[in-house]
Amino acid sequence: NVRAYADLGAHLMRTGDERGARRALETAFRADPFDRVTYNLLALLDTLDGFETIRDGDLVIRLHPDEAAVMREYVPALAREALAALSKRWNFTPTGPILIEMFPRHDDFAVRTLGLPGMIGALGACFGKVVTLDSPKARPPGDFNWGATLWHEIAHVITLQLSNQRVPRWLTEGISVWEETRARPAWGREMEVTFAGALNRGQVMKLRDLNSGFSNPELISLAYYEASLLVEHIVARFGEPSLRELVRVFSEDVDTEAAITRVLKVGIDDVQGTFDRFLDQRFGGLRTALVTPEGFEPDAPPDRLRTLAAANAGSFPVQLALARALEEKEPDAALAAYRAAAALVPLATGDESPQARIAALLTAKGDKAGAAAALEALTTADHTAVASARALVGLLDAGTEGARRRAALAKVVAIDPFDAAAHSELGRFALADGQLPAALQAFRVAVAAGAQDRAGAHADLGEALEKSGDKDDAKRQALMALEVAPSYVRAQELLLRLVEPPQ
């Protein structure tokens, strides 16, 4: 049965048995070499043969050879942190080994996950013991945050194994988004404004329908966020032990309503009622701010918008429209309107958000301090705003604003680990503060990421290695710097210190 062998191979891929998967897929391919999924999976296994494998306890991490030198400095540490934190919080140690594979081509991730390219919108997937995800290079910098994705998928490891793979989609996804926010406050909150708008339009799903939202492309983003809010509400009302038991009880093959009644001791309609009140309390102010008055037109003349804004000071859309209308001819008045909009909706993000426009207008006026403050607010709310983080770095002086500049650089590399220049500067900050391990890591990444100043990057790493006592490796870095720039004085002096006996 060729189909059975092909399906067996695909499912063995999802359990992490790639050797067994290859045997089954090759058997299917010999009989039917024209099956697309079988062909794709075999080609993907050939690609994986060239990946670098890192083993760390129960973690097996596979990275593309072009990215391994950079990502091995970050992926294992974050995966360890996530697994340790989640295992402790959930009082559950998942069965290993847990395989994590990161792909610089999105279609490779899609094939590894489902056997076919595509999966538009997906960033990661988890099958209980196997995690697959896009690497930072799979998408343009700023499209997503790979760290949040990895944490999200490792949370799935917990809930899938704890429930024996029977947890409903709404609960496992809601927990993963909720755990993102617990790990880093900025993670998992990008849908807050969108969700408040959906509440105003009556587009939010009832609990009985929430699971179906994950199969609707128009509702899936709302479903993820609503599920995380439901998890937050369950914890607030019933406590974390009840949430853990709710996940576990699904291992006994019960449905959602039965699980809720059994664990929470109330019916689903009772949970719906208190959840509705939770949403009203949580989003009441934001929902009010997003309401538009009667007769509002975003492209109305400035005078009309000015009148509307005066009469509707609490309307975010009106203040935003007024600010945009005034930008070109009345930048000071536009700034005031943008600041009013930012106060109404502090978590608004994107290039056209109030804080982004405030930063642009203040930069044009030469007010670096004001622009930097706006960008700090924006990058605190938006964990993917790499362009804004880079702009913030450019506004802060390394000598007088070192701590803030270093924090901005850390935001840059959290989103784009392949930014060599940012790593070089972070390394110098760390070295100046006596944080040698952090400096070594940053300089290693700068070299691996292909720093534009290659000689300087090798010299930075060499000097840090010298301080650590690793003279042999420091000497190698000095020589590599001199291969790039034979007359580079800093590298010459480093080499001389390493080869000459102390006086």
Side-chain angles (χ1 to χ4, degrees), residues 84-116:
L86 292 165
S87 297
K88 182 178 180 180
R89 282 205 288 262
W90 284 82
N91 193 26
F92 176 77
T93 302
T95 302
I98 296 164
L99 175 64
I100 299 171
E101 293 177 344
M102 181 175 277
F103 297 94
R105 290 182 68 252
H106 175 76
D107 277 347
D108 283 346
F109 153 71
V111 168
R112 176 63 178 83
T113 305
L114 290 179
L116 292 169

PDB file of all heavy atoms in Angstrom, residues 84-116:
ATOM      1  N   ALA A  84      12.663  25.232  30.756  1.00  0.00           N
ATOM      2  CA  ALA A  84      12.794  25.215  32.212  1.00  0.00           C
ATOM      3  C   ALA A  84      11.665  26.004  32.879  1.00  0.00           C
ATOM      4  O   ALA A  84      11.049  25.536  33.845  1.00  0.00           O
ATOM      5  CB  ALA A  84      14.152  25.785  32.617  1.00  0.00           C
ATOM      6  N   ALA A  85      11.383  27.197  32.359  1.00  0.00           N
ATOM      7  CA  ALA A  85      10.349  28.039  32.967  1.00  0.00           C
ATOM      8  C   ALA A  85       8.974  27.400  32.842  1.00  0.00           C
ATOM      9  O   ALA A  85       8.196  27.378  33.809  1.00  0.00           O
ATOM     10  CB  ALA A  85      10.354  29.420  32.314  1.00  0.00           C
ATOM     11  N   LEU A  86       8.664  26.878  31.667  1.00  0.00           N
ATOM     12  CA  LEU A  86       7.346  26.296  31.445  1.00  0.00           C
ATOM     13  C   LEU A  86       7.171  24.992  32.214  1.00  0.00           C
ATOM     14  O   LEU A  86       6.099  24.727  32.771  1.00  0.00           O
ATOM     15  CB  LEU A  86       7.123  26.081  29.955  1.00  0.00           C
ATOM     16  CG  LEU A  86       6.993  27.372  29.129  1.00  0.00           C
ATOM     17  CD1 LEU A  86       7.144  27.088  27.641  1.00  0.00           C
ATOM     18  CD2 LEU A  86       5.655  28.050  29.406  1.00  0.00           C
ATOM     19  N   SER A  87       8.210  24.167  32.258  1.00  0.00           N
ATOM     20  CA  SER A  87       8.125  22.917  33.013  1.00  0.00           C
ATOM     21  C   SER A  87       7.880  23.191  34.495  1.00  0.00           C
ATOM     22  O   SER A  87       7.085  22.501  35.143  1.00  0.00           O
ATOM     23  CB  SER A  87       9.403  22.100  32.838  1.00  0.00           C
ATOM     24  OG  SER A  87       9.592  21.725  31.486  1.00  0.00           O
ATOM     25  N   LYS A  88       8.534  24.224  35.018  1.00  0.00           N
ATOM     26  CA  LYS A  88       8.357  24.565  36.434  1.00  0.00           C
ATOM     27  C   LYS A  88       6.957  25.090  36.692  1.00  0.00           C
ATOM     28  O   LYS A  88       6.287  24.681  37.647  1.00  0.00           O
ATOM     29  CB  LYS A  88       9.407  25.599  36.848  1.00  0.00           C
ATOM     30  CG  LYS A  88       9.329  25.987  38.312  1.00  0.00           C
ATOM     31  CD  LYS A  88      10.429  26.978  38.672  1.00  0.00           C
ATOM     32  CE  LYS A  88      10.352  27.375  40.146  1.00  0.00           C
ATOM     33  NZ  LYS A  88      11.426  28.347  40.505  1.00  0.00           N
ATOM     34  N   ARG A  89       6.494  26.006  35.828  1.00  0.00           N
ATOM     35  CA  ARG A  89       5.175  26.605  36.046  1.00  0.00           C
ATOM     36  C   ARG A  89       4.058  25.585  35.908  1.00  0.00           C
ATOM     37  O   ARG A  89       3.040  25.659  36.591  1.00  0.00           O
ATOM     38  CB  ARG A  89       4.953  27.761  35.071  1.00  0.00           C
ATOM     39  CG  ARG A  89       5.672  29.041  35.462  1.00  0.00           C
ATOM     40  CD  ARG A  89       4.996  30.269  34.893  1.00  0.00           C
ATOM     41  NE  ARG A  89       5.172  30.389  33.467  1.00  0.00           N
ATOM     42  CZ  ARG A  89       6.084  31.157  32.876  1.00  0.00           C
ATOM     43  NH1 ARG A  89       6.938  31.825  33.628  1.00  0.00           N
ATOM     44  NH2 ARG A  89       6.154  31.249  31.576  1.00  0.00           N
ATOM     45  N   TRP A  90       4.255  24.639  34.998  1.00  0.00           N
ATOM     46  CA  TRP A  90       3.202  23.651  34.745  1.00  0.00           C
ATOM     47  C   TRP A  90       3.386  22.377  35.568  1.00  0.00           C
ATOM     48  O   TRP A  90       2.579  21.455  35.469  1.00  0.00           O
ATOM     49  CB  TRP A  90       3.148  23.334  33.246  1.00  0.00           C
ATOM     50  CG  TRP A  90       2.482  24.445  32.494  1.00  0.00           C
ATOM     51  CD1 TRP A  90       3.050  25.608  32.073  1.00  0.00           C
ATOM     52  CD2 TRP A  90       1.113  24.507  32.139  1.00  0.00           C
ATOM     53  NE1 TRP A  90       2.116  26.402  31.463  1.00  0.00           N
ATOM     54  CE2 TRP A  90       0.914  25.744  31.482  1.00  0.00           C
ATOM     55  CE3 TRP A  90       0.028  23.659  32.294  1.00  0.00           C
ATOM     56  CZ2 TRP A  90      -0.331  26.133  30.990  1.00  0.00           C
ATOM     57  CZ3 TRP A  90      -1.208  24.045  31.800  1.00  0.00           C
ATOM     58  CH2 TRP A  90      -1.382  25.270  31.173  1.00  0.00           C
ATOM     59  N   ASN A  91       4.464  22.338  36.336  1.00  0.00           N
ATOM     60  CA  ASN A  91       4.734  21.161  37.167  1.00  0.00           C
ATOM     61  C   ASN A  91       4.686  19.888  36.322  1.00  0.00           C
ATOM     62  O   ASN A  91       4.080  18.877  36.698  1.00  0.00           O
ATOM     63  CB  ASN A  91       3.729  21.068  38.322  1.00  0.00           C
ATOM     64  CG  ASN A  91       4.152  20.067  39.386  1.00  0.00           C
ATOM     65  OD1 ASN A  91       5.348  19.793  39.548  1.00  0.00           O
ATOM     66  ND2 ASN A  91       3.185  19.488  40.084  1.00  0.00           N
ATOM     67  N   PHE A  92       5.324  19.981  35.167  1.00  0.00           N
ATOM     68  CA  PHE A  92       5.268  18.873  34.206  1.00  0.00           C
ATOM     69  C   PHE A  92       6.554  18.872  33.391  1.00  0.00           C
ATOM     70  O   PHE A  92       6.924  19.886  32.808  1.00  0.00           O
ATOM     71  CB  PHE A  92       4.061  19.040  33.276  1.00  0.00           C
ATOM     72  CG  PHE A  92       3.964  17.994  32.193  1.00  0.00           C
ATOM     73  CD1 PHE A  92       3.516  16.711  32.482  1.00  0.00           C
ATOM     74  CD2 PHE A  92       4.316  18.298  30.875  1.00  0.00           C
ATOM     75  CE1 PHE A  92       3.417  15.748  31.491  1.00  0.00           C
ATOM     76  CE2 PHE A  92       4.227  17.344  29.881  1.00  0.00           C
ATOM     77  CZ  PHE A  92       3.776  16.064  30.183  1.00  0.00           C
ATOM     78  N   THR A  93       7.230  17.730  33.362  1.00  0.00           N
ATOM     79  CA  THR A  93       8.438  17.595  32.548  1.00  0.00           C
ATOM     80  C   THR A  93       8.096  16.808  31.296  1.00  0.00           C
ATOM     81  O   THR A  93       7.760  15.620  31.378  1.00  0.00           O
ATOM     82  CB  THR A  93       9.548  16.862  33.331  1.00  0.00           C
ATOM     83  OG1 THR A  93       9.830  17.596  34.527  1.00  0.00           O
ATOM     84  CG2 THR A  93      10.809  16.749  32.490  1.00  0.00           C
ATOM     85  N   PRO A  94       8.146  17.446  30.134  1.00  0.00           N
ATOM     86  CA  PRO A  94       7.774  16.734  28.913  1.00  0.00           C
ATOM     87  C   PRO A  94       8.789  15.655  28.553  1.00  0.00           C
ATOM     88  O   PRO A  94       9.969  15.734  28.922  1.00  0.00           O
ATOM     89  CB  PRO A  94       7.747  17.839  27.852  1.00  0.00           C
ATOM     90  CG  PRO A  94       8.640  18.907  28.384  1.00  0.00           C
ATOM     91  CD  PRO A  94       8.522  18.843  29.871  1.00  0.00           C
ATOM     92  N   THR A  95       8.324  14.646  27.851  1.00  0.00           N
ATOM     93  CA  THR A  95       9.187  13.562  27.400  1.00  0.00           C
ATOM     94  C   THR A  95      10.039  14.040  26.224  1.00  0.00           C
ATOM     95  O   THR A  95       9.536  14.665  25.291  1.00  0.00           O
ATOM     96  CB  THR A  95       8.337  12.355  26.964  1.00  0.00           C
ATOM     97  OG1 THR A  95       7.538  11.954  28.063  1.00  0.00           O
ATOM     98  CG2 THR A  95       9.213  11.208  26.513  1.00  0.00           C
ATOM     99  N   GLY A  96      11.318  13.752  26.288  1.00  0.00           N
ATOM    100  CA  GLY A  96      12.228  14.123  25.211  1.00  0.00           C
ATOM    101  C   GLY A  96      12.658  12.906  24.410  1.00  0.00           C
ATOM    102  O   GLY A  96      12.157  11.803  24.639  1.00  0.00           O
ATOM    103  N   PRO A  97      13.584  13.066  23.485  1.00  0.00           N
ATOM    104  CA  PRO A  97      14.177  14.351  23.127  1.00  0.00           C
ATOM    105  C   PRO A  97      13.185  15.234  22.377  1.00  0.00           C
ATOM    106  O   PRO A  97      12.293  14.744  21.689  1.00  0.00           O
ATOM    107  CB  PRO A  97      15.354  13.958  22.234  1.00  0.00           C
ATOM    108  CG  PRO A  97      14.947  12.641  21.645  1.00  0.00           C
ATOM    109  CD  PRO A  97      14.144  11.943  22.701  1.00  0.00           C
ATOM    110  N   ILE A  98      13.375  16.548  22.520  1.00  0.00           N
ATOM    111  CA  ILE A  98      12.542  17.527  21.827  1.00  0.00           C
ATOM    112  C   ILE A  98      13.372  18.108  20.687  1.00  0.00           C
ATOM    113  O   ILE A  98      14.427  18.701  20.917  1.00  0.00           O
ATOM    114  CB  ILE A  98      12.074  18.625  22.793  1.00  0.00           C
ATOM    115  CG1 ILE A  98      11.175  17.994  23.868  1.00  0.00           C
ATOM    116  CG2 ILE A  98      11.330  19.723  22.049  1.00  0.00           C
ATOM    117  CD1 ILE A  98      10.972  18.862  25.072  1.00  0.00           C
ATOM    118  N   LEU A  99      12.912  17.895  19.480  1.00  0.00           N
ATOM    119  CA  LEU A  99      13.638  18.300  18.278  1.00  0.00           C
ATOM    120  C   LEU A  99      13.141  19.666  17.822  1.00  0.00           C
ATOM    121  O   LEU A  99      11.937  19.874  17.655  1.00  0.00           O
ATOM    122  CB  LEU A  99      13.414  17.267  17.172  1.00  0.00           C
ATOM    123  CG  LEU A  99      14.007  17.576  15.790  1.00  0.00           C
ATOM    124  CD1 LEU A  99      15.526  17.643  15.856  1.00  0.00           C
ATOM    125  CD2 LEU A  99      13.555  16.521  14.772  1.00  0.00           C
ATOM    126  N   ILE A 100      14.071  20.604  17.642  1.00  0.00           N
ATOM    127  CA  ILE A 100      13.750  21.955  17.145  1.00  0.00           C
ATOM    128  C   ILE A 100      14.515  22.175  15.850  1.00  0.00           C
ATOM    129  O   ILE A 100      15.749  22.063  15.826  1.00  0.00           O
ATOM    130  CB  ILE A 100      14.139  23.032  18.177  1.00  0.00           C
ATOM    131  CG1 ILE A 100      13.365  22.825  19.480  1.00  0.00           C
ATOM    132  CG2 ILE A 100      13.892  24.427  17.620  1.00  0.00           C
ATOM    133  CD1 ILE A 100      13.835  23.705  20.620  1.00  0.00           C
ATOM    134  N   GLU A 101      13.787  22.451  14.788  1.00  0.00           N
ATOM    135  CA  GLU A 101      14.415  22.703  13.479  1.00  0.00           C
ATOM    136  C   GLU A 101      13.986  24.072  12.979  1.00  0.00           C
ATOM    137  O   GLU A 101      12.795  24.384  12.936  1.00  0.00           O
ATOM    138  CB  GLU A 101      14.036  21.607  12.484  1.00  0.00           C
ATOM    139  CG  GLU A 101      14.636  20.261  12.863  1.00  0.00           C
ATOM    140  CD  GLU A 101      14.244  19.120  11.950  1.00  0.00           C
ATOM    141  OE1 GLU A 101      13.267  19.262  11.181  1.00  0.00           O
ATOM    142  OE2 GLU A 101      14.923  18.072  11.995  1.00  0.00           O
ATOM    143  N   MET A 102      14.982  24.882  12.593  1.00  0.00           N
ATOM    144  CA  MET A 102      14.741  26.261  12.174  1.00  0.00           C
ATOM    145  C   MET A 102      15.177  26.427  10.723  1.00  0.00           C
ATOM    146  O   MET A 102      16.296  26.043  10.368  1.00  0.00           O
ATOM    147  CB  MET A 102      15.518  27.212  13.101  1.00  0.00           C
ATOM    148  CG  MET A 102      15.333  28.676  12.797  1.00  0.00           C
ATOM    149  SD  MET A 102      16.164  29.714  14.035  1.00  0.00           S
ATOM    150  CE  MET A 102      14.924  29.750  15.319  1.00  0.00           C
ATOM    151  N   PHE A 103      14.306  27.018   9.903  1.00  0.00           N
ATOM    152  CA  PHE A 103      14.534  27.056   8.455  1.00  0.00           C
ATOM    153  C   PHE A 103      14.627  28.485   7.935  1.00  0.00           C
ATOM    154  O   PHE A 103      13.739  29.306   8.208  1.00  0.00           O
ATOM    155  CB  PHE A 103      13.391  26.339   7.736  1.00  0.00           C
ATOM    156  CG  PHE A 103      13.290  24.877   8.068  1.00  0.00           C
ATOM    157  CD1 PHE A 103      12.446  24.450   9.080  1.00  0.00           C
ATOM    158  CD2 PHE A 103      14.047  23.943   7.392  1.00  0.00           C
ATOM    159  CE1 PHE A 103      12.353  23.110   9.412  1.00  0.00           C
ATOM    160  CE2 PHE A 103      13.964  22.596   7.712  1.00  0.00           C
ATOM    161  CZ  PHE A 103      13.116  22.178   8.719  1.00  0.00           C
ATOM    162  N   PRO A 104      15.673  28.789   7.156  1.00  0.00           N
ATOM    163  CA  PRO A 104      15.789  30.125   6.563  1.00  0.00           C
ATOM    164  C   PRO A 104      14.896  30.315   5.338  1.00  0.00           C
ATOM    165  O   PRO A 104      14.735  31.439   4.867  1.00  0.00           O
ATOM    166  CB  PRO A 104      17.270  30.213   6.176  1.00  0.00           C
ATOM    167  CG  PRO A 104      17.701  28.805   5.972  1.00  0.00           C
ATOM    168  CD  PRO A 104      16.889  27.978   6.941  1.00  0.00           C
ATOM    169  N   ARG A 105      14.346  29.227   4.787  1.00  0.00           N
ATOM    170  CA  ARG A 105      13.375  29.317   3.691  1.00  0.00           C
ATOM    171  C   ARG A 105      12.012  28.899   4.228  1.00  0.00           C
ATOM    172  O   ARG A 105      11.844  27.779   4.718  1.00  0.00           O
ATOM    173  CB  ARG A 105      13.771  28.419   2.517  1.00  0.00           C
ATOM    174  CG  ARG A 105      14.999  28.872   1.751  1.00  0.00           C
ATOM    175  CD  ARG A 105      15.293  27.959   0.575  1.00  0.00           C
ATOM    176  NE  ARG A 105      14.271  28.068  -0.463  1.00  0.00           N
ATOM    177  CZ  ARG A 105      13.360  27.129  -0.740  1.00  0.00           C
ATOM    178  NH1 ARG A 105      13.347  25.998  -0.061  1.00  0.00           N
ATOM    179  NH2 ARG A 105      12.484  27.302  -1.706  1.00  0.00           N
ATOM    180  N   HIS A 106      11.034  29.786   4.115  1.00  0.00           N
ATOM    181  CA  HIS A 106       9.717  29.477   4.667  1.00  0.00           C
ATOM    182  C   HIS A 106       9.123  28.216   4.042  1.00  0.00           C
ATOM    183  O   HIS A 106       8.491  27.412   4.742  1.00  0.00           O
ATOM    184  CB  HIS A 106       8.761  30.655   4.457  1.00  0.00           C
ATOM    185  CG  HIS A 106       7.366  30.345   4.897  1.00  0.00           C
ATOM    186  ND1 HIS A 106       6.989  30.314   6.224  1.00  0.00           N
ATOM    187  CD2 HIS A 106       6.260  29.994   4.181  1.00  0.00           C
ATOM    188  CE1 HIS A 106       5.723  29.980   6.309  1.00  0.00           C
ATOM    189  NE2 HIS A 106       5.246  29.781   5.090  1.00  0.00           N
ATOM    190  N   ASP A 107       9.330  28.022   2.752  1.00  0.00           N
ATOM    191  CA  ASP A 107       8.753  26.836   2.108  1.00  0.00           C
ATOM    192  C   ASP A 107       9.367  25.545   2.642  1.00  0.00           C
ATOM    193  O   ASP A 107       8.695  24.500   2.663  1.00  0.00           O
ATOM    194  CB  ASP A 107       8.916  26.912   0.586  1.00  0.00           C
ATOM    195  CG  ASP A 107       7.818  27.758  -0.062  1.00  0.00           C
ATOM    196  OD1 ASP A 107       6.818  28.060   0.614  1.00  0.00           O
ATOM    197  OD2 ASP A 107       7.967  28.111  -1.246  1.00  0.00           O
ATOM    198  N   ASP A 108      10.622  25.589   3.069  1.00  0.00           N
ATOM    199  CA  ASP A 108      11.206  24.402   3.710  1.00  0.00           C
ATOM    200  C   ASP A 108      10.495  24.107   5.036  1.00  0.00           C
ATOM    201  O   ASP A 108      10.213  22.948   5.353  1.00  0.00           O
ATOM    202  CB  ASP A 108      12.703  24.600   3.960  1.00  0.00           C
ATOM    203  CG  ASP A 108      13.527  24.434   2.692  1.00  0.00           C
ATOM    204  OD1 ASP A 108      12.989  23.915   1.693  1.00  0.00           O
ATOM    205  OD2 ASP A 108      14.707  24.816   2.702  1.00  0.00           O
ATOM    206  N   PHE A 109      10.219  25.158   5.798  1.00  0.00           N
ATOM    207  CA  PHE A 109       9.443  24.971   7.033  1.00  0.00           C
ATOM    208  C   PHE A 109       8.064  24.385   6.717  1.00  0.00           C
ATOM    209  O   PHE A 109       7.591  23.469   7.406  1.00  0.00           O
ATOM    210  CB  PHE A 109       9.305  26.314   7.758  1.00  0.00           C
ATOM    211  CG  PHE A 109       8.076  26.431   8.612  1.00  0.00           C
ATOM    212  CD1 PHE A 109       7.957  25.707   9.784  1.00  0.00           C
ATOM    213  CD2 PHE A 109       7.028  27.263   8.232  1.00  0.00           C
ATOM    214  CE1 PHE A 109       6.811  25.807  10.567  1.00  0.00           C
ATOM    215  CE2 PHE A 109       5.882  27.370   9.005  1.00  0.00           C
ATOM    216  CZ  PHE A 109       5.773  26.634  10.178  1.00  0.00           C
ATOM    217  N   ALA A 110       7.428  24.905   5.671  1.00  0.00           N
ATOM    218  CA  ALA A 110       6.093  24.423   5.318  1.00  0.00           C
ATOM    219  C   ALA A 110       6.129  22.963   4.900  1.00  0.00           C
ATOM    220  O   ALA A 110       5.275  22.159   5.306  1.00  0.00           O
ATOM    221  CB  ALA A 110       5.508  25.292   4.202  1.00  0.00           C
ATOM    222  N   VAL A 111       7.122  22.585   4.089  1.00  0.00           N
ATOM    223  CA  VAL A 111       7.243  21.190   3.666  1.00  0.00           C
ATOM    224  C   VAL A 111       7.545  20.303   4.868  1.00  0.00           C
ATOM    225  O   VAL A 111       6.971  19.217   5.019  1.00  0.00           O
ATOM    226  CB  VAL A 111       8.325  21.050   2.580  1.00  0.00           C
ATOM    227  CG1 VAL A 111       8.681  19.575   2.343  1.00  0.00           C
ATOM    228  CG2 VAL A 111       7.849  21.684   1.270  1.00  0.00           C
ATOM    229  N   ARG A 112       8.436  20.738   5.754  1.00  0.00           N
ATOM    230  CA  ARG A 112       8.759  19.948   6.945  1.00  0.00           C
ATOM    231  C   ARG A 112       7.520  19.721   7.805  1.00  0.00           C
ATOM    232  O   ARG A 112       7.366  18.690   8.458  1.00  0.00           O
ATOM    233  CB  ARG A 112       9.832  20.682   7.771  1.00  0.00           C
ATOM    234  CG  ARG A 112      10.193  19.997   9.098  1.00  0.00           C
ATOM    235  CD  ARG A 112      10.806  18.639   8.842  1.00  0.00           C
ATOM    236  NE  ARG A 112      11.226  17.955  10.055  1.00  0.00           N
ATOM    237  CZ  ARG A 112      10.439  17.243  10.861  1.00  0.00           C
ATOM    238  NH1 ARG A 112       9.146  17.123  10.577  1.00  0.00           N
ATOM    239  NH2 ARG A 112      10.927  16.633  11.922  1.00  0.00           N
ATOM    240  N   THR A 113       6.608  20.673   7.761  1.00  0.00           N
ATOM    241  CA  THR A 113       5.428  20.616   8.610  1.00  0.00           C
ATOM    242  C   THR A 113       4.273  19.849   7.962  1.00  0.00           C
ATOM    243  O   THR A 113       3.653  19.001   8.592  1.00  0.00           O
ATOM    244  CB  THR A 113       4.976  22.046   8.961  1.00  0.00           C
ATOM    245  OG1 THR A 113       6.082  22.746   9.560  1.00  0.00           O
ATOM    246  CG2 THR A 113       3.819  22.033   9.934  1.00  0.00           C
ATOM    247  N   LEU A 114       3.995  20.152   6.681  1.00  0.00           N
ATOM    248  CA  LEU A 114       2.816  19.581   6.024  1.00  0.00           C
ATOM    249  C   LEU A 114       3.102  18.846   4.720  1.00  0.00           C
ATOM    250  O   LEU A 114       2.192  18.272   4.129  1.00  0.00           O
ATOM    251  CB  LEU A 114       1.789  20.682   5.750  1.00  0.00           C
ATOM    252  CG  LEU A 114       1.085  21.284   6.972  1.00  0.00           C
ATOM    253  CD1 LEU A 114       0.122  22.371   6.538  1.00  0.00           C
ATOM    254  CD2 LEU A 114       0.349  20.214   7.754  1.00  0.00           C
ATOM    255  N   GLY A 115       4.351  18.913   4.233  1.00  0.00           N
ATOM    256  CA  GLY A 115       4.680  18.209   2.996  1.00  0.00           C
ATOM    257  C   GLY A 115       4.524  19.032   1.746  1.00  0.00           C
ATOM    258  O   GLY A 115       4.913  18.589   0.655  1.00  0.00           O
ATOM    259  N   LEU A 116       3.979  20.246   1.858  1.00  0.00           N
ATOM    260  CA  LEU A 116       3.768  21.114   0.706  1.00  0.00           C
ATOM    261  C   LEU A 116       4.216  22.530   1.049  1.00  0.00           C
ATOM    262  O   LEU A 116       4.113  22.956   2.200  1.00  0.00           O
ATOM    263  CB  LEU A 116       2.287  21.137   0.308  1.00  0.00           C
ATOM    264  CG  LEU A 116       1.699  19.838  -0.260  1.00  0.00           C
ATOM    265  CD1 LEU A 116       0.190  19.954  -0.353  1.00  0.00           C
ATOM    266  CD2 LEU A 116       2.302  19.517  -1.621  1.00  0.00           C
TER     267      LEU A 116
END
